[in-house]
Amino acid sequence: MIDLHTHSRASDGTDTPRQVLAAAAAAGVRVVALTDHDSTAGWAEAADAVAATGVALVRGIEISTRTDTPDGGLSVHLLAYLPDPDHPGLVAELDRTRLDRVSRARRMVGLLAQEHPITWQDVLAQTADGATVGRPHLADALVAAGVVADRDEAFATILHPGARFYVPHHAPDTADAVRTVLAAGGVPVMAHPRAGRRGRVVTDDAIAALADAGLAGLEVDHRDHDPDERTALRGLAADLGLLVTGSSDYHGTGKLNRIGENATDPAVLEELAGRGRLEVLHP
């Protein structure tokens, strides 16, 4: 079993990178990708856990990007597999995004504090050292303060993009991000492209344009896609010559997603490994 989308405490998961691999082993997953948001901070610890857990590691990143449409910008998450983490262009973009996430989170806390018992220190208390600060950490602080019951309630209400407390953050253009990942020797795959419950989704034409820019695949098998959406995405991937992946988008206890609940075909992993700058780390 191969799960190519998980998160640790290096971004917004609740497990350490080592615990992510241990959870994968317990679930019978033999290969896992650690794809924290805009960060490679968890890679070293995850790599150290490969031998002990017996789980192979695909090093990756989930990059927050933005695609402009006639109706406004759309958030698009891009999974970058096996890139050179020291590539200057990639490092610069990730650094810029992380720094802007911090200032954005501070602004959101300022707005939230007008009506709710939350401070910046409350958010930091929910954020692991070196982690990319994001809305999940604000959600956890709100849970700890008794404002909401869980992350899901926070995201559905006061942290929703339509709420007055929401503040956008910097994100590179999706096509530019695809080209940056390729320049770094990585393999770019669009995460959950039909996750409509998160907001508006990109059109088939927009995905085709990204394929022209070098997009390598689509994450088709994901809990946010119903059977009809998966069928449509498989057809689109076939038409565009894109790889098809499946994964859990595991966040530990931060989401209901269970590790290994969706999987990627071994032949697809072999193709990804052949295209990436880094190698898959095997036990």
Side-chain angles (χ1 to χ4, degrees):
M1 189 183 295
I2 300 164
D3 187 339
L4 292 183
H5 187 170
T6 69
H7 296 274
S8 76
R9 284 180 61 82
S11 63
D12 57 343
T14 60
D15 292 352
T16 65
R18 183 177 299 276
Q19 289 170 333
V20 171
L21 266 69
V29 174
R30 306 318 304 164
V31 183
V32 70
L34 184 66
T35 51
D36 282 311
H37 290 284
D38 306 305
S39 177
T40 62
W43 285 11
E45 181 181 328
D48 287 343
V50 168
T53 60
V55 175
L57 174 67
V58 176
R59 289 163 286 181
I61 312 162
E62 186 170 13
I63 302 174
S64 305
T65 77
R66 187 175 180 85
T67 293
D68 290 327
T69 75
D71 298 321
L74 284 177
S75 175
V76 176
H77 287 185
L78 189 70
L79 295 162
Y81 295 114
L82 304 171
D84 175 2
D86 298 319
H87 182 271
L90 180 62
V91 170
E93 193 53 67
L94 296 180
D95 284 348
R96 181 181 179 188
T97 299
R98 286 197 302 271
L99 285 172
D100 194 65
R101 278 183 180 274
V102 173
S103 61
R104 174 261 199 136
R106 283 185 174 275
R107 284 177 284 162
M108 289 185 69
V109 169
L111 293 172
L112 287 162
Q114 295 174 14
E115 296 184 18
H116 302 290
I118 181 174
T119 67
W120 181 243
Q121 288 304 314
D122 294 332
V123 175
L124 292 182
Q126 300 296 329
T127 308
D129 290 344
T132 302
V133 180
R135 282 188 299 156
H137 304 108
L138 274 70
D140 292 344
L142 290 165
V143 171
V147 177
V148 292
D150 52 33
R151 280 187 181 182
D152 286 344
E153 182 183 349
F155 274 84
T157 56
I158 56 181
L159 297 184
H160 189 274
R164 77 173 192 86
F165 306 108
Y166 182 83
V167 175
H169 65 82
H170 164 75
D173 174 76
T174 306
D176 288 343
V178 165
R179 288 186 279 266
T180 297
V181 171
L182 291 171
V187 188
V189 172
M190 186 185 296
H192 40 69
R194 285 292 181 269
R197 70 189 68 179
R198 302 173 185 232
R200 293 184 300 123
V201 298
V202 293
T203 64
D204 289 359
D205 287 344
I207 292 175
L210 292 173
D212 289 340
L215 183 71
L218 299 175
E219 185 182 56
V220 172
D221 292 312
H222 186 283
R223 71 155 49 210
D224 287 353
H225 297 156
D226 65 29
D228 288 343
E229 289 166 337
R230 296 186 190 204
T231 297
L233 284 170
R234 276 192 168 78
L236 179 62
D239 290 343
L240 298 175
L242 300 176
L243 300 172
V244 168
T245 67
S247 55
S248 64
D249 200 356
Y250 175 72
H251 284 70
T253 58
K255 287 186 176 181
L256 296 176
N257 310 43
R258 296 298 88 197
I259 200 163
E261 67 182 23
N262 289 292
T264 295
D265 188 281
V268 173
L269 174 62
E270 184 176 356
E271 181 70 23
L272 290 172
R275 297 187 193 185
R277 179 72 50 83
L278 302 181
E279 62 183 7
V280 178
L281 300 180
H282 291 279

